[in-house]
C-alpha cells in the first residue's frame, strides 16, 4: 500500500509540476494593438471642354479668328502648372511653299480669363513650337486680389485665343489651298511635395 501511495503522490506531483510550468508561461498580462495604415495617391486629371478648339478653314491673308476653350482639374490634387506644347503640320497642296506656312499664322494672344494673365502674346505658330508657356500661371500682381497660380481640384479656367493669317503685303499665292493642322497638348504637373 505504501508503494501505491508513493506512486500516486509522485504522479500527482508531476501533473501539478507540468500544470505549473505550462500555466506559468501565460501567467502575465498582455495586450495587442494592430495599426492599419492606408496610403492613397492623389490624382492629376486635366480635362478640356469638347468644343473644337482650332478648326480654321477658307482663310485669306488678313483674317482673324477668335476661339474659346476651357481647362478643368477633375483630379484630387492641385495642378501647379499646365505647359502648352505646340505642334503643327502643313499640307502644301502644290508643293510650292518657299517658307513655312506657320510663320504666317500669328497667335495675337492667349488670355486666361480666370488668372487675368496672358501666357502667349503675339507670336507665330512657328515660334510657339519652341516655347512651352505655363497657361495657368498668374503673372499679374494685384494687391487687392491675392490669387495663386495653378488649377485647384474641381476648378476650371476659361481661355480666349486669337489667330491671324498675317497679310505681309507681298504675294502669298503659294498658300492658296494649303492646310495647316495644329495640335496643342496641355501637360499638367503637380506642385512640390508637402509635409503631411
Amino acid at each position: 500500500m505504501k508503494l501505491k501511495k508513493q506512486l500516486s503522490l509522485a504522479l500527482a506531483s508531476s501533473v501539478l509540476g507540468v500544470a505549473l510550468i505550462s500555466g506559468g508561461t501565460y501567467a502575465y498580462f498582455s495586450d495587442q494593438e494592430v495599426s492599419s495604415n492606408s496610403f492613397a495617391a492623389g490624382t492629376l486629371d486635366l480635362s478640356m471642354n469638347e468644343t473644337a478648339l482650332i478648326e480654321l478653314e477658307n482663310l485669306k491673308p488678313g483674317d482673324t479668328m477668335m476661339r474659346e476653350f476651357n481647362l478643368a482639374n477633375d483630379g484630387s490634387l492641385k495642378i501647379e502648372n499646365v505647359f502648352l506644347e505646340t505642334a503643327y503640320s502643313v499640307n502644301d497642296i502644290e508643293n510650292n511653299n518657299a517658307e513655312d506656312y506657320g510663320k504666317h499664322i500669328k497667335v495675337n494672344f492667349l488670355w486666361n480669363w480666370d488668372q487675368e494673365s496672358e501666357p502667349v502674346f503675339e507670336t507665330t505658330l512657328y515660334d510657339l513650337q519652341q516655347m512651352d508657356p505655363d497657361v495657368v500661371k498668374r503673372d499679374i500682381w494685384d494687391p487687392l486680389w491675392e490669387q495663386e497660380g495653378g488649377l485647384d481640384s474641381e476648378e476650371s479656367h476659361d481661355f480666349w485665343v486669337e489667330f491671324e493669317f498675317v497679310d505681309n503685303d507681298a504675294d502669298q499665292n503659294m498658300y492658296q489651298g494649303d492646310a495647316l493642322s495644329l495640335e496643342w497638348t496641355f501637360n499638367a504637373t503637380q506642385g512640390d511635395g508637402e509635409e503631411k
Side-chain angles (χ1 to χ4, degrees):
M1 186 79 153
K2 221 175 184 190
L3 183 61
K4 229 182 187 182
K5 193 174 183 184
Q6 284 178 345
L7 263 160
S8 297
L9 187 57
L11 185 59
S13 295
S14 350
V15 168
L16 181 62
V18 168
L20 284 175
I21 290 171
S22 62
T25 57
Y26 296 102
Y28 56 87
F29 292 133
S30 68
D31 190 14
Q32 185 179 50
E33 290 293 332
V34 176
S35 174
S36 297
N37 299 296
S38 172
F39 297 88
T43 59
L44 285 183
D45 185 5
L46 181 68
S47 66
M48 185 174 176
N49 62 330
E50 294 181 13
T51 305
L53 172 60
I54 305 160
E55 215 170 271
L56 311 175
E57 297 175 346
N58 292 323
L59 301 179
K60 63 184 180 303
D63 283 353
T64 59
M65 296 112 331
M66 178 83 80
R67 297 292 184 264
E68 294 180 43
F69 65 97
N70 176 278
L71 293 178
N73 182 355
D74 295 333
S76 64
L77 298 175
K78 177 179 179 177
I79 292 175
E80 192 66 32
N81 309 99
V82 178
F83 296 105
L84 170 62
E85 183 181 313
T86 301
Y88 67 86
S89 60
V90 175
N91 185 4
D92 181 1
I93 299 296
E94 298 291 327
N95 201 24
N96 63 347
N97 288 358
E99 192 172 36
D100 191 317
Y101 188 24
K103 291 183 177 181
H104 294 265
I105 303 294
K106 188 164 76 169
V107 181
N108 286 328
F109 59 82
L110 172 63
W111 177 258
N112 182 333
W113 179 256
D114 298 86
Q115 295 288 49
E116 292 188 342
S117 65
E118 197 168 30
V120 176
F121 178 73
E122 280 194 348
T123 188
T124 65
L125 287 180
Y126 179 83
D127 290 331
L128 192 54
Q129 285 187 116
Q130 308 309 313
M131 304 176 193
D132 61 345
D134 182 357
V135 298
V136 295
K137 183 176 82 173
R138 180 154 175 79
D139 56 8
I140 297 176
W141 184 76
D142 184 347
L144 300 177
W145 186 37
E146 292 183 19
Q147 183 180 351
E148 295 180 3
L151 199 59
D152 287 323
S153 179
E154 305 303 318
E155 183 182 21
S156 66
H157 286 184
D158 294 315
F159 294 86
W160 294 345
V161 60
E162 184 181 78
F163 299 95
E164 177 184 359
F165 185 175
V166 177
D167 184 350
N168 65 0
D169 294 323
D171 182 2
Q172 292 175 292
N173 284 330
M174 65 183 136
Y175 300 118
Q176 286 190 53
D178 290 356
L180 185 146
S181 299
L182 174 61
E183 182 177 282
W184 273 358
T185 303
F186 298 90
N187 298 306
T189 62
Q190 70 172 47
D192 294 334
E194 302 172 0
E195 186 174 335
K196 303 266 185 192

